[in-house]
Amino acid sequence: MRKPIIAGNWKMFKTVSEAVSFFSEVKGAAEVDGVESVICAPYTTLPALVEAAKGTSIAIGAQNLHFEDNGAFTGEISGVMLSDLGVKYVIVGHSERRAYFAETDEIVGKKVHAAFKHGLTPILCVGEKLEEREAGETKNVCKVQTEAAFQGLSAEQAAQVVIAYEPIWAIGTGKSSTSEDAEDVIAYIREVVKGLYDASVADAVRIQYGGSVKPNNVREYLSQSNIDGALVGGASLEPASYISLVEGA
Ligand code: PEP
């Protein structure tokens, strides 16, 4: 049985005091038996959030990491630094990083390895652009991105990866994929993982849907047999909305 996982992606929102205030409101309420609750927050807020999350079941995640442990990479943050803080998850290969920060499949793969090296669980984002969808390329894009990111991972590591299938045209647009379409692509991604490893790894991997998930549609996605949770941007920013997402799972 795969445990559903709701992960908020705050992107570049919230100061430290806003993050701490959010956390004090969701603590307790966004802790639901049988659901994993994760908040992926800006770097500056992570020490305060990790501290606030002590003794709760809410895990704290980062939104990116560099693949090297340290070095002359001005402005970057490494897995060593994140695990030293007590961060548990890290988003890797979000479409905004691929689009605005030139992250290639190769870089994403290195980041997945860096996450495991430092005991962080990667939330690996894959998904197609609108033109790729219209060209019938959705599954192929997801296959290529998944295979590149899993390259060189042991079966034990592969089983721990959380994949977030995020059609890019659905992120922050209010246009969500239908739950049936998302299920179809996610079932296919699970087949890709099976092809790389075996059925037991494919059955263990958790695959989220992401793209305009809201409290009023989260349940519909999670009712699909292959969808194990959601990666949520906009609707994770307000405490009441985040609580509803976790309850809805
Ligand atoms: C995201 O940032 O990964 C995301 C899915 O955003 P939104 O929920 O706002 O579409």
Side-chain angles (χ1 to χ4, degrees):
M1 237 343 236
R2 299 182 295 266
K3 190 174 186 181
I5 174 168
I6 298 294
N9 172 18
W10 283 357
K11 312 194 187 201
M12 197 170 70
F13 290 99
K14 294 196 191 293
T15 60
V16 176
S17 60
E18 287 166 348
V20 169
S21 156
F22 174 100
F23 200 88
S24 65
E25 287 192 53
V26 304
K27 194 174 163 176
E31 296 181 67
V32 171
D33 273 351
V35 180
E36 203 165 344
S37 171
V38 183
I39 293 168
C40 298
Y43 289 137
T44 49
T45 65
L46 293 175
L49 285 173
V50 168
E51 192 53 39
K54 281 186 181 149
T56 76
S57 61
I58 302 173
I60 304 301
Q63 300 169 17
N64 179 36
L65 82 172
H66 195 277
F67 52 79
E68 295 290 353
D69 290 354
N70 42 53
F73 300 104
T74 302
E76 291 294 308
I77 297 287
S78 72
V80 184
M81 297 166 181
L82 295 175
S83 74
D84 178 56
L85 280 183
V87 166
K88 298 279 180 254
Y89 285 88
V90 60
I91 298 174
V92 176
H94 190 279
S95 60
E96 288 152 16
R97 300 237 27 116
R98 293 181 192 254
Y100 308 138
F101 301 96
E103 285 194 12
T104 60
D105 282 342
E106 189 192 348
I107 291 172
V108 171
K110 287 182 179 178
K111 290 186 174 196
V112 169
H113 280 274
F116 278 118
K117 182 174 173 194
H118 299 293
L120 302 163
T121 299
I123 299 177
L124 164 71
C125 300
V126 301
E128 81 286 0
K129 300 184 185 115
L130 183 59
E131 56 270 31
E132 291 167 333
R133 184 172 195 92
E134 286 171 349
E137 281 296 308
T138 297
K139 288 182 177 170
N140 191 44
V141 168
C142 292
K143 180 175 196 278
V144 169
Q145 291 179 344
T146 302
E147 288 182 346
F150 275 71
Q151 206 175 358
L153 293 185
S154 67
E156 196 192 334
Q157 290 171 327
Q160 290 170 49
V161 176
V162 176
I163 301 174
Y165 165 57
E166 299 206 307
I168 296 169
W169 49 270
I171 297 178
T173 58
K175 288 186 209 147
S176 49
S177 176
T178 66
S179 58
E180 292 81 11
D181 275 356
E183 167 69 10
D184 182 46
V185 179
I186 286 175
Y188 175 76
I189 294 170
R190 202 176 294 290
E191 281 301 306
V192 170
V193 175
K194 187 175 167 189
L196 292 173
Y197 297 90
D198 57 28
S200 71
V201 173
D203 285 345
V205 162
R206 291 182 293 174
I207 311 182
Q208 301 171 306
Y209 168 73
S212 298
V213 174
K214 310 276 178 233
N216 66 4
N217 62 16
V218 67
R219 198 166 291 208
E220 198 183 317
Y221 289 107
L222 272 98
S223 66
Q224 299 286 342
S225 58
N226 280 286
I227 303 184
D228 305 314
L231 180 59
V232 187
S236 72
L237 288 166
E238 290 302 322
S241 172
Y242 184 72
I243 293 164
S244 302
L245 289 164
V246 176
E247 286 175 347

